[in-house]
Amino acid sequence: MNNCSHRSLSIAAIIFTLLGPIAMSQAAAPVGAQVSSKKVVEAIRKGVKYLLSRDNPGTHWEQGVVNGGPNGKMIPQYPGESALVTESLLDVQQTLHLPELNIFKNPMKSAINFVAEHHASTTYVASFQAAVMGLLPKKAKYRRVLDWDTNYLLRSLNPDGSYGYIVYPAPRRAIRRGRRVLHMHTNTSDGDNSNSQYGILGMWTAADYGLSVPEKYWKVSANYWRRTQQPNGTWWYEPARIEPLQMTPAGVASLLICDEYLGRRHTDRRFKDPSVELGLQWIDAHFPPQLAEEYTMYCYERVGLASGLQRFGGHNWYEDFARTLLTHQQVNGSWVTTFWPNQHYCLGTAYALLILDRGLNPVFFNKLQYDKPYFGDWNARQRDVANMVEWISKETEAPLNWQVANINAPVSDWLNSPILYISGRKDPKFTPSQIAKLRRYVNAGGLVLCSCDNNSLAFKRAMIKYGRQVVNKHYEFQKLTNKNMLFTMQPWFHMSMNMLALSNGSRYLWLVCPSDMGAVWERQALSQRNFWEFPLNLYLYATGKGSLADRLHSTAVPLAAKPPLRTIKIGLVQYPGNWNPEPGAWPRLAKLLATNAGTGVILSTVDISAAGAADAAILHLTGTNGLNLSDKDAAALRQYVQKGGLLFADGTGGNAEFANGFTQLMMKAFPHHPLQHIPDTAPFITGKVPSGVDAAKVTYRKYYLSAKGIKHKPDLLGVKIGKRWAVIFSPNDITSGLLGTNTWGILGYTPKSSIALARNIVEYAGQSRK
C-alpha cells in the first residue's frame, strides 16, 4: 500500500463539496462521554459494517448528488459518493486490516474498479478519485487514472490560482508538466474556495505519489490563498457568503500544502508564512470544541494533522471530535450528515470514519515547540518531521502521525510518543521548570533527539548542557561507534553518523546530532540515506521491533479516583553506584496499584547502611552494573529481612554484571540460605495475594526471545526463611517494564508481565508484613 502519514487529510470535506456550503450544526456532546481506543475502534468497525451493507451492485454508493455550477447549472458529482466511501474504507483497511476490506476481493475490488473506470468531469470528483488511487498499490492501471486526474486538475486551474466546478473549453494558455505542455482555460468567474481547496488536495496526492507537479503550480495556488485571506485571518467560501469556521481551516491547510513544496529549497534560513500564522491564530481563538458537524470537523483535523498541532485553543481536537462522534453514532453504525438529514447516511458515515481513523494513528515523533510563534526557531524546517515520518510510514507500511508538543503543555500530552524531537540554531534558554518537565518525560521512558539547524555549534552545546541537567549529571555523553545498536538495528544496513548519546546503562535517554538532519528531511534528500535510516532505526528501537500504540494511548497513568483500601511502604535502596536508573518506574507502578488494586504506596529512599532499621514492607534493589557492597551492607540487608521485610531485586535492563553481583551479595548475607528457584506455585506467581493477578504465564520482550529463546514462565530466584519468601530476585528486567515502554535491547519481561509480577510481589510483601 502507498500509505502517507497525512494522506487522508488530503481529502477534505467531500460532503461540503458535493452538496455546497450549508449552515453547520453545533450540537454538544455529553461532557461525561469517555474516549478510549477500544471504543473508537468499535465505532469504526460498526461504521464499516454499515457502509458495506449499503453497497449496491453496479452503482455502489451513488445516490445522484448534484451541485449548482455557473449560471445555476446542476452538475452531477458522479462517482464522487462512491469515491468518498471507497477512500474511507481503504483508509480503515490500512490500520485495522479487516478481511472484509481486502482490496483483491469483492466488494472492495468491484468498488475500486468502479471509481477507477470513470473520467472525472468536476474538480471535486477528480480530486477525490486521485486520493483513492493514491492509497492503492502502485500499479500501472491506477497510475494511469491518477495521471489523468493530475492533468485534469492542472488544466482546470484558473489564472488567479482558483478552481471552479468544471473545466471549460477553448484553452488559451499553457503550463509545462515534465516534458508535456498542458493547455489551460482562462475563465475565472467560477472560482470559489471550496473547489480551490479540492484542486490543491488532488495535486497533493499526485505529488506525494511521485508524479510531476510544476513548482509554478504551488506558487500560483499559494498566492491565491494569500490574496483572498481577510485581515482577521479568515477565508470566505466566496465574497457574498461568509463561512469562516469552515473555510478558514481549509485556507490554512491549503497553504500548508503549498508551503511543503515551496519551502524545500530554503533550508538555509527560517521559513515563515504570515498567512498561515494569522489563520492559526484565528483558529486558536475560535475553535469550537463541541462541534458536531462532520465536514467542519474534518477541516480542522486536516489542519491538525498537517501542522502537527495537538490542541486548538487549549482543546485536544481529536479527543473532542472522537467523543462527539461516539455519542452521535446511530444504532446501525451510521452517522447522519447535517446537510441532508435522513438521506445521505453513507456520506456522513464515510466522513466520520476518515476523522476517527486517520486521527487515531500512532504518533511516532513529537516536535517540541519551545517558543510561541508557529514559525519560530523550533520550526525553522516546517516539514522536516512530517516528511521523515511519512517516509517511515511507507517503509514500514504502518500509518503514522507526528505531533507538536508544546513546552507549556502537561507532560501527559507528550507521552503518546516515544521520541521528542528538538531542533534549533541557538540556545532555547530552557527555564528550570521546563528542564524539570523534560526530566519527567525522560524518566517516564521517553527519548529526546536533538538536531542542530545549519550545524549550529551553539545549539549543540546547549543541548549537551540540558541533557546533562536532565539526568542530574549522573551520566556523560559518549560518541556512538559504528557498531552501536542504534546503527545496526537493520542487519542489512549499517551506518556511521556523528551522534552523541546519554544512556542510563539500560536504554538511551538523550541524543544530539551535530548535523542538520532537519534540512535533509525538509528537502527530502533521499540520497543521504543515513539521515533516513537512522530514524527508522529509532522506530525499531522504541517499539522493540514491534508497533506503536495509537494516539489515544499514553504511558501516563491518571490519579486514582477512589481512596486506597490499604497502604504499603516501599523503600528504594540507595548505594554507591547506579542505584536508580529508572526514576519513573516505581512512581508509575504506585499509580497503577492505586487505580487497579486499591493499594496506596508510600515510596521512600533508604540508604543501604540504614536498611536494617527500615520500616518498609518491601525494599527494592536494582542497578545496571556490578555490585561492590561491603559486609556491613550485607548485614544491614540481612537484619531487615530477619525483621520480616521482603527484599526484591532485579537488574535493570537484565544486566548480567548486576545479577552476578547480587548473587555474591546474597552469599554474604545468607550463607546458609542460598538462592533457589521459586516454583510456579508461589502465591505472587499464581496471583493468590490481595488484588493479585495470574502471572503463571508471562511474555518476554522480543529482544530477550531473540537472545535467549522462547520462554513462557517467570524466572525468579529467592531465599526462603521459614514459610515465607524473604528475598525475591529476577535476573531479568522488571524495572524497565514498569514504564510501559517496549525499548529494544532490554533482557526482560514485557510491560504487562513486569507490572503483573511487581504488583503481586508488592501485595505479597504487604500480606506477609501483617
Side-chain angles (χ1 to χ4, degrees), residues 270-411:
R270 191 172 74 186
F271 184 88
K272 184 176 181 180
D273 189 333
S275 293
V276 169
E277 205 149 46
L278 189 60
L280 288 174
Q281 290 172 6
W282 189 91
I283 289 174
D284 218 35
H286 297 86
F287 176 71
Q290 294 182 327
L291 180 67
E293 189 276 288
E294 295 100 334
Y295 159 61
T296 310
M297 292 165 72
Y298 198 50
C299 285
Y300 279 98
E301 183 178 62
R302 286 177 50 216
V303 177
L305 295 179
S307 67
L309 293 172
Q310 184 179 10
R311 293 178 180 269
F312 295 138
H315 300 279
N316 187 310
W317 57 264
Y318 182 76
E319 290 186 5
D320 287 338
F321 292 169
R323 184 180 299 107
T324 297
L325 291 172
L326 291 181
T327 303
H328 289 261
Q329 188 174 27
Q330 305 297 302
V331 175
N332 64 0
S334 69
W335 281 270
V336 184
T337 74
T338 56
F339 297 107
W340 285 0
N342 304 320
Q343 294 187 43
H344 288 277
Y345 290 86
C346 292
L347 297 182
T349 303
Y351 201 14
L353 291 184
L354 289 173
I355 297 168
L356 291 175
D357 186 71
R358 175 50 54 193
L360 189 63
N361 285 337
V363 179
F364 175 36
F365 258 53
N366 271 330
K367 185 175 182 180
L368 186 66
Q369 180 179 4
Y370 53 78
D371 51 17
K372 188 174 182 179
Y374 180 75
F375 293 99
D377 285 341
W378 69 278
N379 200 22
R381 288 89 169 84
Q382 175 202 340
R383 299 297 301 174
D384 52 1
V385 172
N387 290 338
M388 177 270 294
V389 170
E390 180 181 349
W391 182 84
I392 291 177
S393 183
K394 291 178 179 178
E395 290 294 305
T396 60
E397 296 187 353
L400 300 171
N401 286 325
W402 68 286
Q403 191 171 259
V404 172
N406 193 289
I407 190 68
N408 297 316
V411 175

Side-chain angles (χ1 to χ4, degrees), residues 309-311 366-373 378 404-414 420-422 428-441 448 463 466 470 510:
L309 293 172
Q310 184 179 10
R311 293 178 180 269
N366 271 330
K367 185 175 182 180
L368 186 66
Q369 180 179 4
Y370 53 78
D371 51 17
K372 188 174 182 179
W378 69 278
V404 172
N406 193 289
I407 190 68
N408 297 316
V411 175
S412 57
D413 274 13
W414 307 2
L420 181 66
Y421 177 73
I422 310 177
K429 299 190 182 301
F430 292 139
T431 65
S433 62
Q434 291 170 341
I435 294 172
K437 188 174 289 186
L438 289 165
R439 183 180 298 117
R440 290 198 297 274
Y441 175 75
V448 175
M463 292 301 101
Y466 293 128
V470 161
W510 194 284

Side-chain angles (χ1 to χ4, degrees), residues 343-636:
Q343 294 187 43
H344 288 277
Y345 290 86
C346 292
L347 297 182
T349 303
Y351 201 14
L353 291 184
L354 289 173
I355 297 168
L356 291 175
D357 186 71
R358 175 50 54 193
L360 189 63
N361 285 337
V363 179
F364 175 36
F365 258 53
N366 271 330
K367 185 175 182 180
L368 186 66
Q369 180 179 4
Y370 53 78
D371 51 17
K372 188 174 182 179
Y374 180 75
F375 293 99
D377 285 341
W378 69 278
N379 200 22
R381 288 89 169 84
Q382 175 202 340
R383 299 297 301 174
D384 52 1
V385 172
N387 290 338
M388 177 270 294
V389 170
E390 180 181 349
W391 182 84
I392 291 177
S393 183
K394 291 178 179 178
E395 290 294 305
T396 60
E397 296 187 353
L400 300 171
N401 286 325
W402 68 286
Q403 191 171 259
V404 172
N406 193 289
I407 190 68
N408 297 316
V411 175
S412 57
D413 274 13
W414 307 2
L415 289 176
N416 59 358
S417 170
I419 312 289
L420 181 66
Y421 177 73
I422 310 177
S423 63
R425 57 184 177 84
K426 59 184 179 181
D427 189 341
K429 299 190 182 301
F430 292 139
T431 65
S433 62
Q434 291 170 341
I435 294 172
K437 188 174 289 186
L438 289 165
R439 183 180 298 117
R440 290 198 297 274
Y441 175 75
V442 168
N443 288 349
L447 170 62
V448 175
L449 172 64
C450 310
S451 175
C452 304
D453 289 354
N454 297 328
N455 304 330
S456 169
L457 183 60
F459 189 77
K460 170 187 171 182
R461 290 171 175 168
M463 292 301 101
I464 291 175
K465 175 183 68 175
Y466 293 128
R468 295 183 72 245
Q469 290 178 9
V470 161
V471 300
N472 295 309
K473 300 182 180 180
H474 288 162
Y475 315 110
E476 292 297 332
F477 278 94
Q478 302 290 332
K479 184 176 180 179
L480 300 184
T481 68
N482 57 5
K483 294 183 179 181
N484 185 271
M485 178 185 298
L486 295 184
F487 294 151
T488 60
M489 291 294 296
Q490 304 172 78
W492 54 86
F493 186 82
H494 293 184
M495 67 186 72
S496 178
M497 292 179 65
N498 186 7
M499 189 70 64
L500 304 175
L502 281 177
S503 170
N504 66 357
S506 173
R507 65 181 177 92
Y508 289 103
L509 313 174
W510 194 284
L511 304 174
V512 177
C513 179
S515 302
D516 193 343
M517 288 193 297
V520 176
W521 298 339
E522 182 85 354
R523 293 194 306 268
Q524 292 191 326
L526 298 178
S527 61
Q528 295 180 255
R529 191 173 173 187
N530 284 352
F531 289 95
W532 300 90
E533 296 289 347
F534 182 74
L536 177 54
N537 281 1
L538 288 185
Y539 176 83
L540 299 173
Y541 178 76
T543 61
K545 294 190 176 181
S547 58
L548 289 174
D550 58 58
R551 177 190 290 268
L552 291 178
H553 174 82
S554 172
T555 56
V557 180
L559 295 175
K562 299 179 180 180
L565 302 175
R566 55 194 165 272
T567 301
I568 296 177
K569 293 182 179 180
I570 299 176
L572 308 182
V573 180
Q574 181 177 1
Y575 61 89
N578 195 21
W579 65 276
N580 193 22
E582 294 292 3
W586 278 97
R588 184 174 186 270
L589 180 66
K591 289 184 178 180
L592 288 170
L593 288 172
T595 301
N596 301 329
T599 301
V601 171
I602 299 175
L603 291 173
S604 64
T605 299
V606 176
D607 190 273
I608 193 167
S609 62
D615 66 345
I618 182 172
L619 290 183
H620 180 242
L621 180 66
T622 191
T624 59
N625 41 40
L627 280 173
N628 296 308
L629 301 180
S630 67
D631 292 343
K632 289 184 178 180
D633 296 331

Side-chain angles (χ1 to χ4, degrees), residues 6 77 220 297 299 535 542 628 652 741 751 753:
H6 55 245
Q77 301 294 335
V220 172
M297 292 165 72
C299 285
N628 296 308
T652 300
T741 54
S753 293

